[in-house]
Amino acid sequence: MQLRSYAEINEKISKGQVVVVTAEEVLGLVEEHGVEETARRVDVVTTGTFGPMCSSGAFLNLGHPAPRMKMARVYLNGVNAYAGLAAVDVFLGATEIPAADPANQNFPGAFNYGGAHVIEDLVAGREVLLEATAYPTDCYPRQKLETWIKLDEINEAYLYNPRNCYQNYNVAVNLSDRTIYTYMGILKANLGNANYCSAGQLSPLLKDPYYRVTGIGTRLFLGGGTGYVAWYGTQHNPAAARGENGVPRMGAGTLALIGDLKQMKAKWLRGVSYLGYGVSLQVGVGVPIPVLDVETLRYAAVRDEEIFAQVVDYSEAYPQRIAGSLGEVSYAELKSGTIVIQGREVPTAPLSSYPKAKEIAEILKSWILRGEFTLTEPVSKLPSADSGIKLNPLKVQK
Amino acid sequence: MIKRKVVLRFPASVVEYPFIYTLAKEYNVVANILKANINPRKEGRMVVELSADDKDFDAAMDFLQSRGVIVLPLEQQVNWLEDRCTQCGACTVICPTEALWMKRPEMTVSFNGEKCVVCEHCLKACPARAVEALYLSGE
Ligand code: SF4
Ligand code: SF4
């Protein structure tokens, strides 16, 4: 039974009567009043996450110099931006490193600077060095350019992240006898530590496991500004194994997100360096969940104790794509600081920040309460568990 | 028994003298080298943790100073930049002494300088580069 519509929620927002709680606060309410009563009282639940999301980047239109130029090779602070688009359009990928970076030649490489850091610098309002070369044409004669740019001086700049907000993720460990350096951080030998990467009970897609209310067009908090779900993310895998509560027990759904870079804040878009691995962008995302019915609230009220992730060996199983898990642990166990794997107590680290995720959920809540942010009904659904979409490996053939 | 972290500054003229060996052999001082930057014919510096009996320790200090080595107390070695920290927690399983630690269930990371042994593992383990090495030693 429907409790309220998007239009009714937005009307309450405009009248200042809307009831909004964070995905953490809702847990206490459900404990006290039960799911049904809480669903009647609460209009919107806000979620949040702040973690490294490699599949991120920005489209920029740099503007035309005089004479005009068909920029073919473009570097921003030494980092290559893809220019195989119209004359002065580029896409700057978060994980791109400068051509001069020794990468892992001096193992483990430090990866101090890359595309993600350029994005952070732009958003922070800092000047960025633009170097471009081109072949000349009659309409675009210029062949070389070197100048400084700033975010507010270029034309359009929007973040377009093909894969964000992974619905659940692996817990990474190392069974080998040497330290390994991964996108899940430094993993010490012989089960020295276990790194995970999800905000658990605050994480957007874990609170809407079948994408009932999060869909294409959903407005959200992105990098400190507003953004939208553009599409389902790359590697979206709604068919992943789920628990009885519907929550995936491993990496499943993903979101492609878009938003105006000029509104964003460097605090919520941070260039990060993973030793021996590379550069990534730490992205803040917060998604509002409209409590349309009791069911929505029941899903949004799932707790860390009820969300499980698979423990995967990153020394052998993961790189060699050998299926299998060393076991399953809950986010409550992960957050306790130690988990037990193969009879051993292993210390855990999150990579995705829980307190920052909470801060994002709070900010989104305050935007809604102040009437600055209204909810959008998805224009189209994301493929869900019944869609038949599966994750395909690449067959190597020649 | 004295255990103390110090910065040793070696003038270029003595940088090739085997000080650590002499400290151990002649003065019974155990020197645990935490960081060293020694180059031939250039001024060198070393961060060491020295442990010895009180008397041996004093004698060792006299010896170092007589050779022109400047001994400076190490006040604070690693600086945690709270503003840059994204609270990701990556350092907390790398830090051997729980100087960088996570308060649970809040999951907030803080730094306890007293526990830090300047191993500098966190410097590169921190994705956000929120830890820096500082040698505050009256230099
Ligand atoms: S220098 Fe070593 S002991 Fe000090 S905080 Fe960093 S990892 Fe911990
Ligand atoms: S690794 Fe760096 S950013 Fe992450 S919690 Fe530690 S100090 Fe903060």
Side-chain angles (χ1 to χ4, degrees), chain A residues 9 48 62 69-70 87 90 115 133 147-148 166 178 200 207 220 232 242 267-268 288 332 348 386 396:
Chain A
I9 293 172
L62 299 166
M69 183 174 189
K70 185 181 185 316
V90 296
T133 55
T147 185
W148 293 92
Y166 233 121
R178 65 170 186 101
K207 313 248 69 178
L220 40 77
Y232 52 97
R242 290 169 188 263
K267 179 178 178 184
W268 301 116
T348 59
D386 55 4
V396 181

mmCIF file with all atom_site columns, all heavy atoms in Angstrom, chain A residues 9 48 62 69-70 87 90 115 133 147-148 166 178 200 207 220 232 242 267-268 288 332 348 386 396:
data_model
loop_
_atom_site.group_PDB
_atom_site.id
_atom_site.type_symbol
_atom_site.label_atom_id
_atom_site.label_alt_id
_atom_site.label_comp_id
_atom_site.label_asym_id
_atom_site.label_entity_id
_atom_site.label_seq_id
_atom_site.pdbx_PDB_ins_code
_atom_site.Cartn_x
_atom_site.Cartn_y
_atom_site.Cartn_z
_atom_site.occupancy
_atom_site.B_iso_or_equiv
_atom_site.pdbx_formal_charge
_atom_site.auth_seq_id
_atom_site.auth_comp_id
_atom_site.auth_asym_id
_atom_site.auth_atom_id
_atom_site.pdbx_PDB_model_num
ATOM 1   N N   . ILE A 1 9   ? 5.555  14.274  -1.128  1.00 0.00 ? 9   ILE A N   1
ATOM 2   C CA  . ILE A 1 9   ? 6.787  14.540  -0.366  1.00 0.00 ? 9   ILE A CA  1
ATOM 3   C C   . ILE A 1 9   ? 7.315  15.937  -0.726  1.00 0.00 ? 9   ILE A C   1
ATOM 4   O O   . ILE A 1 9   ? 7.654  16.729  0.156   1.00 0.00 ? 9   ILE A O   1
ATOM 5   C CB  . ILE A 1 9   ? 7.860  13.468  -0.650  1.00 0.00 ? 9   ILE A CB  1
ATOM 6   C CG1 . ILE A 1 9   ? 7.407  12.115  -0.105  1.00 0.00 ? 9   ILE A CG1 1
ATOM 7   C CG2 . ILE A 1 9   ? 9.203  13.869  -0.043  1.00 0.00 ? 9   ILE A CG2 1
ATOM 8   C CD1 . ILE A 1 9   ? 8.300  10.948  -0.483  1.00 0.00 ? 9   ILE A CD1 1
ATOM 9   N N   . GLY A 1 48  ? 24.469 7.879   2.604   1.00 0.00 ? 48  GLY A N   1
ATOM 10  C CA  . GLY A 1 48  ? 25.717 8.549   2.252   1.00 0.00 ? 48  GLY A CA  1
ATOM 11  C C   . GLY A 1 48  ? 26.853 7.563   2.108   1.00 0.00 ? 48  GLY A C   1
ATOM 12  O O   . GLY A 1 48  ? 26.813 6.460   2.659   1.00 0.00 ? 48  GLY A O   1
ATOM 13  N N   . LEU A 1 62  ? 37.092 23.467  -22.799 1.00 0.00 ? 62  LEU A N   1
ATOM 14  C CA  . LEU A 1 62  ? 38.145 24.396  -22.401 1.00 0.00 ? 62  LEU A CA  1
ATOM 15  C C   . LEU A 1 62  ? 37.989 25.782  -23.023 1.00 0.00 ? 62  LEU A C   1
ATOM 16  O O   . LEU A 1 62  ? 38.639 26.732  -22.594 1.00 0.00 ? 62  LEU A O   1
ATOM 17  C CB  . LEU A 1 62  ? 39.510 23.804  -22.773 1.00 0.00 ? 62  LEU A CB  1
ATOM 18  C CG  . LEU A 1 62  ? 39.800 22.458  -22.069 1.00 0.00 ? 62  LEU A CG  1
ATOM 19  C CD1 . LEU A 1 62  ? 40.980 21.754  -22.729 1.00 0.00 ? 62  LEU A CD1 1
ATOM 20  C CD2 . LEU A 1 62  ? 40.072 22.654  -20.586 1.00 0.00 ? 62  LEU A CD2 1
ATOM 21  N N   . MET A 1 69  ? 41.692 26.099  -32.303 1.00 0.00 ? 69  MET A N   1
ATOM 22  C CA  . MET A 1 69  ? 42.547 24.909  -32.236 1.00 0.00 ? 69  MET A CA  1
ATOM 23  C C   . MET A 1 69  ? 41.706 23.650  -32.087 1.00 0.00 ? 69  MET A C   1
ATOM 24  O O   . MET A 1 69  ? 40.720 23.633  -31.348 1.00 0.00 ? 69  MET A O   1
ATOM 25  C CB  . MET A 1 69  ? 43.452 25.069  -31.007 1.00 0.00 ? 69  MET A CB  1
ATOM 26  C CG  . MET A 1 69  ? 44.445 23.960  -30.818 1.00 0.00 ? 69  MET A CG  1
ATOM 27  S SD  . MET A 1 69  ? 45.531 24.386  -29.445 1.00 0.00 ? 69  MET A SD  1
ATOM 28  C CE  . MET A 1 69  ? 46.742 23.098  -29.591 1.00 0.00 ? 69  MET A CE  1
ATOM 29  N N   . LYS A 1 70  ? 42.096 22.607  -32.799 1.00 0.00 ? 70  LYS A N   1
ATOM 30  C CA  . LYS A 1 70  ? 41.429 21.293  -32.693 1.00 0.00 ? 70  LYS A CA  1
ATOM 31  C C   . LYS A 1 70  ? 42.301 20.431  -31.786 1.00 0.00 ? 70  LYS A C   1
ATOM 32  O O   . LYS A 1 70  ? 43.103 19.628  -32.249 1.00 0.00 ? 70  LYS A O   1
ATOM 33  C CB  . LYS A 1 70  ? 41.329 20.676  -34.085 1.00 0.00 ? 70  LYS A CB  1
ATOM 34  C CG  . LYS A 1 70  ? 40.566 19.365  -34.157 1.00 0.00 ? 70  LYS A CG  1
ATOM 35  C CD  . LYS A 1 70  ? 40.575 18.873  -35.605 1.00 0.00 ? 70  LYS A CD  1
ATOM 36  C CE  . LYS A 1 70  ? 39.737 17.629  -35.866 1.00 0.00 ? 70  LYS A CE  1
ATOM 37  N NZ  . LYS A 1 70  ? 39.850 16.565  -34.922 1.00 0.00 ? 70  LYS A NZ  1
ATOM 38  N N   . ALA A 1 87  ? 36.519 19.804  -30.928 1.00 0.00 ? 87  ALA A N   1
ATOM 39  C CA  . ALA A 1 87  ? 37.790 20.538  -30.858 1.00 0.00 ? 87  ALA A CA  1
ATOM 40  C C   . ALA A 1 87  ? 38.347 20.811  -29.459 1.00 0.00 ? 87  ALA A C   1
ATOM 41  O O   . ALA A 1 87  ? 39.513 20.542  -29.192 1.00 0.00 ? 87  ALA A O   1
ATOM 42  C CB  . ALA A 1 87  ? 37.643 21.845  -31.630 1.00 0.00 ? 87  ALA A CB  1
ATOM 43  N N   . VAL A 1 90  ? 37.286 17.693  -23.664 1.00 0.00 ? 90  VAL A N   1
ATOM 44  C CA  . VAL A 1 90  ? 38.156 16.606  -23.211 1.00 0.00 ? 90  VAL A CA  1
ATOM 45  C C   . VAL A 1 90  ? 37.462 15.829  -22.088 1.00 0.00 ? 90  VAL A C   1
ATOM 46  O O   . VAL A 1 90  ? 36.531 16.326  -21.451 1.00 0.00 ? 90  VAL A O   1
ATOM 47  C CB  . VAL A 1 90  ? 39.521 17.118  -22.678 1.00 0.00 ? 90  VAL A CB  1
ATOM 48  C CG1 . VAL A 1 90  ? 40.310 17.797  -23.782 1.00 0.00 ? 90  VAL A CG1 1
ATOM 49  C CG2 . VAL A 1 90  ? 39.356 18.031  -21.465 1.00 0.00 ? 90  VAL A CG2 1
ATOM 50  N N   . GLY A 1 115 ? 44.892 12.219  -12.423 1.00 0.00 ? 115 GLY A N   1
ATOM 51  C CA  . GLY A 1 115 ? 43.661 12.875  -12.869 1.00 0.00 ? 115 GLY A CA  1
ATOM 52  C C   . GLY A 1 115 ? 42.766 13.291  -11.713 1.00 0.00 ? 115 GLY A C   1
ATOM 53  O O   . GLY A 1 115 ? 42.181 14.387  -11.720 1.00 0.00 ? 115 GLY A O   1
ATOM 54  N N   . THR A 1 133 ? 48.481 20.131  -28.038 1.00 0.00 ? 133 THR A N   1
ATOM 55  C CA  . THR A 1 133 ? 49.040 20.156  -29.389 1.00 0.00 ? 133 THR A CA  1
ATOM 56  C C   . THR A 1 133 ? 47.955 19.685  -30.357 1.00 0.00 ? 133 THR A C   1
ATOM 57  O O   . THR A 1 133 ? 46.992 19.021  -29.941 1.00 0.00 ? 133 THR A O   1
ATOM 58  C CB  . THR A 1 133 ? 50.269 19.239  -29.534 1.00 0.00 ? 133 THR A CB  1
ATOM 59  O OG1 . THR A 1 133 ? 49.891 17.921  -29.121 1.00 0.00 ? 133 THR A OG1 1
ATOM 60  C CG2 . THR A 1 133 ? 51.437 19.713  -28.695 1.00 0.00 ? 133 THR A CG2 1
ATOM 61  N N   . THR A 1 147 ? 48.859 27.381  -21.416 1.00 0.00 ? 147 THR A N   1
ATOM 62  C CA  . THR A 1 147 ? 48.249 28.468  -20.650 1.00 0.00 ? 147 THR A CA  1
ATOM 63  C C   . THR A 1 147 ? 47.732 27.914  -19.323 1.00 0.00 ? 147 THR A C   1
ATOM 64  O O   . THR A 1 147 ? 47.776 26.714  -19.078 1.00 0.00 ? 147 THR A O   1
ATOM 65  C CB  . THR A 1 147 ? 47.103 29.127  -21.449 1.00 0.00 ? 147 THR A CB  1
ATOM 66  O OG1 . THR A 1 147 ? 46.618 30.256  -20.726 1.00 0.00 ? 147 THR A OG1 1
ATOM 67  C CG2 . THR A 1 147 ? 45.944 28.172  -21.677 1.00 0.00 ? 147 THR A CG2 1
ATOM 68  N N   . TRP A 1 148 ? 47.270 28.817  -18.481 1.00 0.00 ? 148 TRP A N   1
ATOM 69  C CA  . TRP A 1 148 ? 46.705 28.403  -17.200 1.00 0.00 ? 148 TRP A CA  1
ATOM 70  C C   . TRP A 1 148 ? 45.184 28.484  -17.273 1.00 0.00 ? 148 TRP A C   1
ATOM 71  O O   . TRP A 1 148 ? 44.642 29.409  -17.868 1.00 0.00 ? 148 TRP A O   1
ATOM 72  C CB  . TRP A 1 148 ? 47.224 29.304  -16.079 1.00 0.00 ? 148 TRP A CB  1
ATOM 73  C CG  . TRP A 1 148 ? 48.690 29.130  -15.845 1.00 0.00 ? 148 TRP A CG  1
ATOM 74  C CD1 . TRP A 1 148 ? 49.700 29.847  -16.418 1.00 0.00 ? 148 TRP A CD1 1
ATOM 75  C CD2 . TRP A 1 148 ? 49.319 28.165  -15.011 1.00 0.00 ? 148 TRP A CD2 1
ATOM 76  N NE1 . TRP A 1 148 ? 50.920 29.380  -15.991 1.00 0.00 ? 148 TRP A NE1 1
ATOM 77  C CE2 . TRP A 1 148 ? 50.721 28.353  -15.121 1.00 0.00 ? 148 TRP A CE2 1
ATOM 78  C CE3 . TRP A 1 148 ? 48.838 27.158  -14.166 1.00 0.00 ? 148 TRP A CE3 1
ATOM 79  C CZ2 . TRP A 1 148 ? 51.648 27.564  -14.429 1.00 0.00 ? 148 TRP A CZ2 1
ATOM 80  C CZ3 . TRP A 1 148 ? 49.755 26.381  -13.474 1.00 0.00 ? 148 TRP A CZ3 1
ATOM 81  C CH2 . TRP A 1 148 ? 51.149 26.580  -13.606 1.00 0.00 ? 148 TRP A CH2 1
ATOM 82  N N   . TYR A 1 166 ? 29.218 1.342   -5.512  1.00 0.00 ? 166 TYR A N   1
ATOM 83  C CA  . TYR A 1 166 ? 29.089 -0.116  -5.591  1.00 0.00 ? 166 TYR A CA  1
ATOM 84  C C   . TYR A 1 166 ? 28.219 -0.622  -4.442  1.00 0.00 ? 166 TYR A C   1
ATOM 85  O O   . TYR A 1 166 ? 28.429 -0.283  -3.290  1.00 0.00 ? 166 TYR A O   1
ATOM 86  C CB  . TYR A 1 166 ? 30.470 -0.784  -5.505  1.00 0.00 ? 166 TYR A CB  1
ATOM 87  C CG  . TYR A 1 166 ? 30.738 -1.739  -6.650  1.00 0.00 ? 166 TYR A CG  1
ATOM 88  C CD1 . TYR A 1 166 ? 31.826 -1.556  -7.497  1.00 0.00 ? 166 TYR A CD1 1
ATOM 89  C CD2 . TYR A 1 166 ? 29.900 -2.834  -6.869  1.00 0.00 ? 166 TYR A CD2 1
ATOM 90  C CE1 . TYR A 1 166 ? 32.064 -2.427  -8.553  1.00 0.00 ? 166 TYR A CE1 1
ATOM 91  C CE2 . TYR A 1 166 ? 30.142 -3.706  -7.917  1.00 0.00 ? 166 TYR A CE2 1
ATOM 92  C CZ  . TYR A 1 166 ? 31.220 -3.500  -8.756  1.00 0.00 ? 166 TYR A CZ  1
ATOM 93  O OH  . TYR A 1 166 ? 31.452 -4.365  -9.786  1.00 0.00 ? 166 TYR A OH  1
ATOM 94  N N   . ARG A 1 178 ? 54.101 -12.353 1.303   1.00 0.00 ? 178 ARG A N   1
ATOM 95  C CA  . ARG A 1 178 ? 54.696 -11.026 1.105   1.00 0.00 ? 178 ARG A CA  1
ATOM 96  C C   . ARG A 1 178 ? 53.588 -9.970  1.095   1.00 0.00 ? 178 ARG A C   1
ATOM 97  O O   . ARG A 1 178 ? 52.438 -10.265 0.749   1.00 0.00 ? 178 ARG A O   1
ATOM 98  C CB  . ARG A 1 178 ? 55.506 -10.966 -0.191  1.00 0.00 ? 178 ARG A CB  1
ATOM 99  C CG  . ARG A 1 178 ? 54.645 -11.148 -1.420  1.00 0.00 ? 178 ARG A CG  1
ATOM 100 C CD  . ARG A 1 178 ? 55.395 -10.858 -2.719  1.00 0.00 ? 178 ARG A CD  1
ATOM 101 N NE  . ARG A 1 178 ? 54.446 -10.932 -3.836  1.00 0.00 ? 178 ARG A NE  1
ATOM 102 C CZ  . ARG A 1 178 ? 53.904 -9.874  -4.428  1.00 0.00 ? 178 ARG A CZ  1
ATOM 103 N NH1 . ARG A 1 178 ? 54.215 -8.655  -4.051  1.00 0.00 ? 178 ARG A NH1 1
ATOM 104 N NH2 . ARG A 1 178 ? 53.041 -10.020 -5.417  1.00 0.00 ? 178 ARG A NH2 1
ATOM 105 N N   . GLY A 1 200 ? 28.302 0.328   4.546   1.00 0.00 ? 200 GLY A N   1
ATOM 106 C CA  . GLY A 1 200 ? 27.378 -0.613  5.197   1.00 0.00 ? 200 GLY A CA  1
ATOM 107 C C   . GLY A 1 200 ? 25.982 -0.026  5.315   1.00 0.00 ? 200 GLY A C   1
ATOM 108 O O   . GLY A 1 200 ? 25.361 0.353   4.318   1.00 0.00 ? 200 GLY A O   1
ATOM 109 N N   . LYS A 1 207 ? 20.574 0.163   0.892   1.00 0.00 ? 207 LYS A N   1
ATOM 110 C CA  . LYS A 1 207 ? 19.326 0.532   1.555   1.00 0.00 ? 207 LYS A CA  1
ATOM 111 C C   . LYS A 1 207 ? 18.139 0.544   0.595   1.00 0.00 ? 207 LYS A C   1
ATOM 112 O O   . LYS A 1 207 ? 17.015 0.858   0.971   1.00 0.00 ? 207 LYS A O   1
ATOM 113 C CB  . LYS A 1 207 ? 19.485 1.885   2.232   1.00 0.00 ? 207 LYS A CB  1
ATOM 114 C CG  . LYS A 1 207 ? 20.753 1.988   3.033   1.00 0.00 ? 207 LYS A CG  1
ATOM 115 C CD  . LYS A 1 207 ? 20.592 2.073   4.516   1.00 0.00 ? 207 LYS A CD  1
ATOM 116 C CE  . LYS A 1 207 ? 20.093 0.899   5.301   1.00 0.00 ? 207 LYS A CE  1
ATOM 117 N NZ  . LYS A 1 207 ? 20.052 1.174   6.733   1.00 0.00 ? 207 LYS A NZ  1
ATOM 118 N N   . LEU A 1 220 ? 20.619 13.622  -6.467  1.00 0.00 ? 220 LEU A N   1
ATOM 119 C CA  . LEU A 1 220 ? 21.378 13.197  -5.292  1.00 0.00 ? 220 LEU A CA  1
ATOM 120 C C   . LEU A 1 220 ? 22.490 14.189  -4.945  1.00 0.00 ? 220 LEU A C   1
ATOM 121 O O   . LEU A 1 220 ? 22.721 15.160  -5.672  1.00 0.00 ? 220 LEU A O   1
ATOM 122 C CB  . LEU A 1 220 ? 21.959 11.784  -5.539  1.00 0.00 ? 220 LEU A CB  1
ATOM 123 C CG  . LEU A 1 220 ? 22.515 11.470  -6.941  1.00 0.00 ? 220 LEU A CG  1
ATOM 124 C CD1 . LEU A 1 220 ? 23.871 12.103  -7.140  1.00 0.00 ? 220 LEU A CD1 1
ATOM 125 C CD2 . LEU A 1 220 ? 22.593 9.977   -7.158  1.00 0.00 ? 220 LEU A CD2 1
ATOM 126 N N   . TYR A 1 232 ? 22.593 3.063   -15.325 1.00 0.00 ? 232 TYR A N   1
ATOM 127 C CA  . TYR A 1 232 ? 23.182 2.129   -14.359 1.00 0.00 ? 232 TYR A CA  1
ATOM 128 C C   . TYR A 1 232 ? 24.671 2.068   -14.637 1.00 0.00 ? 232 TYR A C   1
ATOM 129 O O   . TYR A 1 232 ? 25.122 2.285   -15.756 1.00 0.00 ? 232 TYR A O   1
ATOM 130 C CB  . TYR A 1 232 ? 22.506 0.764   -14.386 1.00 0.00 ? 232 TYR A CB  1
ATOM 131 C CG  . TYR A 1 232 ? 22.373 0.075   -15.716 1.00 0.00 ? 232 TYR A CG  1
ATOM 132 C CD1 . TYR A 1 232 ? 23.302 -0.881  -16.107 1.00 0.00 ? 232 TYR A CD1 1
ATOM 133 C CD2 . TYR A 1 232 ? 21.307 0.351   -16.567 1.00 0.00 ? 232 TYR A CD2 1
ATOM 134 C CE1 . TYR A 1 232 ? 23.178 -1.535  -17.322 1.00 0.00 ? 232 TYR A CE1 1
ATOM 135 C CE2 . TYR A 1 232 ? 21.184 -0.286  -17.783 1.00 0.00 ? 232 TYR A CE2 1
ATOM 136 C CZ  . TYR A 1 232 ? 22.118 -1.226  -18.157 1.00 0.00 ? 232 TYR A CZ  1
ATOM 137 O OH  . TYR A 1 232 ? 21.993 -1.863  -19.352 1.00 0.00 ? 232 TYR A OH  1
ATOM 138 N N   . ARG A 1 242 ? 21.975 -12.893 -3.243  1.00 0.00 ? 242 ARG A N   1
ATOM 139 C CA  . ARG A 1 242 ? 21.387 -12.014 -2.232  1.00 0.00 ? 242 ARG A CA  1
ATOM 140 C C   . ARG A 1 242 ? 20.972 -12.821 -1.008  1.00 0.00 ? 242 ARG A C   1
ATOM 141 O O   . ARG A 1 242 ? 20.704 -14.015 -1.099  1.00 0.00 ? 242 ARG A O   1
ATOM 142 C CB  . ARG A 1 242 ? 20.137 -11.317 -2.803  1.00 0.00 ? 242 ARG A CB  1
ATOM 143 C CG  . ARG A 1 242 ? 20.479 -10.285 -3.857  1.00 0.00 ? 242 ARG A CG  1
ATOM 144 C CD  . ARG A 1 242 ? 19.240 -9.794  -4.596  1.00 0.00 ? 242 ARG A CD  1
ATOM 145 N NE  . ARG A 1 242 ? 19.636 -8.945  -5.722  1.00 0.00 ? 242 ARG A NE  1
ATOM 146 C CZ  . ARG A 1 242 ? 19.669 -7.608  -5.671  1.00 0.00 ? 242 ARG A CZ  1
ATOM 147 N NH1 . ARG A 1 242 ? 19.299 -6.978  -4.580  1.00 0.00 ? 242 ARG A NH1 1
ATOM 148 N NH2 . ARG A 1 242 ? 20.059 -6.922  -6.720  1.00 0.00 ? 242 ARG A NH2 1
ATOM 149 N N   . LYS A 1 267 ? 36.357 19.177  -0.612  1.00 0.00 ? 267 LYS A N   1
ATOM 150 C CA  . LYS A 1 267 ? 36.236 18.302  0.563   1.00 0.00 ? 267 LYS A CA  1
ATOM 151 C C   . LYS A 1 267 ? 35.615 16.958  0.200   1.00 0.00 ? 267 LYS A C   1
ATOM 152 O O   . LYS A 1 267 ? 35.909 15.933  0.813   1.00 0.00 ? 267 LYS A O   1
ATOM 153 C CB  . LYS A 1 267 ? 35.377 19.007  1.611   1.00 0.00 ? 267 LYS A CB  1
ATOM 154 C CG  . LYS A 1 267 ? 35.167 18.179  2.869   1.00 0.00 ? 267 LYS A CG  1
ATOM 155 C CD  . LYS A 1 267 ? 34.365 18.891  3.932   1.00 0.00 ? 267 LYS A CD  1
ATOM 156 C CE  . LYS A 1 267 ? 34.184 17.946  5.110   1.00 0.00 ? 267 LYS A CE  1
ATOM 157 N NZ  . LYS A 1 267 ? 33.346 18.493  6.169   1.00 0.00 ? 267 LYS A NZ  1
ATOM 158 N N   . TRP A 1 268 ? 34.739 16.972  -0.803  1.00 0.00 ? 268 TRP A N   1
ATOM 159 C CA  . TRP A 1 268 ? 34.009 15.746  -1.157  1.00 0.00 ? 268 TRP A CA  1
ATOM 160 C C   . TRP A 1 268 ? 34.469 15.139  -2.479  1.00 0.00 ? 268 TRP A C   1
ATOM 161 O O   . TRP A 1 268 ? 33.817 14.245  -3.013  1.00 0.00 ? 268 TRP A O   1
ATOM 162 C CB  . TRP A 1 268 ? 32.503 16.029  -1.192  1.00 0.00 ? 268 TRP A CB  1
ATOM 163 C CG  . TRP A 1 268 ? 31.993 16.520  0.120   1.00 0.00 ? 268 TRP A CG  1
ATOM 164 C CD1 . TRP A 1 268 ? 31.459 17.745  0.387   1.00 0.00 ? 268 TRP A CD1 1
ATOM 165 C CD2 . TRP A 1 268 ? 31.993 15.818  1.370   1.00 0.00 ? 268 TRP A CD2 1
ATOM 166 N NE1 . TRP A 1 268 ? 31.119 17.848  1.713   1.00 0.00 ? 268 TRP A NE1 1
ATOM 167 C CE2 . TRP A 1 268 ? 31.432 16.679  2.342   1.00 0.00 ? 268 TRP A CE2 1
ATOM 168 C CE3 . TRP A 1 268 ? 32.401 14.531  1.769   1.00 0.00 ? 268 TRP A CE3 1
ATOM 169 C CZ2 . TRP A 1 268 ? 31.276 16.303  3.676   1.00 0.00 ? 268 TRP A CZ2 1
ATOM 170 C CZ3 . TRP A 1 268 ? 32.246 14.164  3.100   1.00 0.00 ? 268 TRP A CZ3 1
ATOM 171 C CH2 . TRP A 1 268 ? 31.695 15.049  4.033   1.00 0.00 ? 268 TRP A CH2 1
ATOM 172 N N   . PRO A 1 288 ? 18.790 10.229  -1.568  1.00 0.00 ? 288 PRO A N   1
ATOM 173 C CA  . PRO A 1 288 ? 17.588 10.254  -0.721  1.00 0.00 ? 288 PRO A CA  1
ATOM 174 C C   . PRO A 1 288 ? 16.672 9.082   -1.059  1.00 0.00 ? 288 PRO A C   1
ATOM 175 O O   . PRO A 1 288 ? 16.498 8.748   -2.237  1.00 0.00 ? 288 PRO A O   1
ATOM 176 C CB  . PRO A 1 288 ? 16.931 11.582  -1.110  1.00 0.00 ? 288 PRO A CB  1
ATOM 177 C CG  . PRO A 1 288 ? 17.323 11.793  -2.545  1.00 0.00 ? 288 PRO A CG  1
ATOM 178 C CD  . PRO A 1 288 ? 18.660 11.128  -2.739  1.00 0.00 ? 288 PRO A CD  1
ATOM 179 N N   . ALA A 1 332 ? 28.815 -5.478  10.801  1.00 0.00 ? 332 ALA A N   1
ATOM 180 C CA  . ALA A 1 332 ? 28.960 -5.267  12.246  1.00 0.00 ? 332 ALA A CA  1
ATOM 181 C C   . ALA A 1 332 ? 30.279 -5.879  12.702  1.00 0.00 ? 332 ALA A C   1
ATOM 182 O O   . ALA A 1 332 ? 31.029 -5.271  13.473  1.00 0.00 ? 332 ALA A O   1
ATOM 183 C CB  . ALA A 1 332 ? 27.785 -5.882  12.985  1.00 0.00 ? 332 ALA A CB  1
ATOM 184 N N   . THR A 1 348 ? 40.763 -5.149  10.876  1.00 0.00 ? 348 THR A N   1
ATOM 185 C CA  . THR A 1 348 ? 40.078 -4.622  9.687   1.00 0.00 ? 348 THR A CA  1
ATOM 186 C C   . THR A 1 348 ? 40.272 -3.111  9.546   1.00 0.00 ? 348 THR A C   1
ATOM 187 O O   . THR A 1 348 ? 40.454 -2.411  10.528  1.00 0.00 ? 348 THR A O   1
ATOM 188 C CB  . THR A 1 348 ? 38.560 -4.887  9.768   1.00 0.00 ? 348 THR A CB  1
ATOM 189 O OG1 . THR A 1 348 ? 38.054 -4.255  10.945  1.00 0.00 ? 348 THR A OG1 1
ATOM 190 C CG2 . THR A 1 348 ? 38.255 -6.371  9.805   1.00 0.00 ? 348 THR A CG2 1
ATOM 191 N N   . ASP A 1 386 ? 15.662 -9.350  -11.580 1.00 0.00 ? 386 ASP A N   1
ATOM 192 C CA  . ASP A 1 386 ? 14.927 -10.153 -12.554 1.00 0.00 ? 386 ASP A CA  1
ATOM 193 C C   . ASP A 1 386 ? 15.237 -9.754  -14.003 1.00 0.00 ? 386 ASP A C   1
ATOM 194 O O   . ASP A 1 386 ? 14.628 -10.236 -14.948 1.00 0.00 ? 386 ASP A O   1
ATOM 195 C CB  . ASP A 1 386 ? 13.420 -10.010 -12.299 1.00 0.00 ? 386 ASP A CB  1
ATOM 196 C CG  . ASP A 1 386 ? 12.999 -8.539  -12.304 1.00 0.00 ? 386 ASP A CG  1
ATOM 197 O OD1 . ASP A 1 386 ? 13.863 -7.668  -12.583 1.00 0.00 ? 386 ASP A OD1 1
ATOM 198 O OD2 . ASP A 1 386 ? 11.821 -8.256  -12.018 1.00 0.00 ? 386 ASP A OD2 1
ATOM 199 N N   . VAL A 1 396 ? 39.625 -14.414 -23.619 1.00 0.00 ? 396 VAL A N   1
ATOM 200 C CA  . VAL A 1 396 ? 40.848 -14.060 -24.340 1.00 0.00 ? 396 VAL A CA  1
ATOM 201 C C   . VAL A 1 396 ? 41.020 -15.037 -25.502 1.00 0.00 ? 396 VAL A C   1
ATOM 202 O O   . VAL A 1 396 ? 41.108 -16.245 -25.301 1.00 0.00 ? 396 VAL A O   1
ATOM 203 C CB  . VAL A 1 396 ? 42.078 -14.114 -23.409 1.00 0.00 ? 396 VAL A CB  1
ATOM 204 C CG1 . VAL A 1 396 ? 43.334 -13.711 -24.164 1.00 0.00 ? 396 VAL A CG1 1
ATOM 205 C CG2 . VAL A 1 396 ? 41.867 -13.203 -22.207 1.00 0.00 ? 396 VAL A CG2 1
#
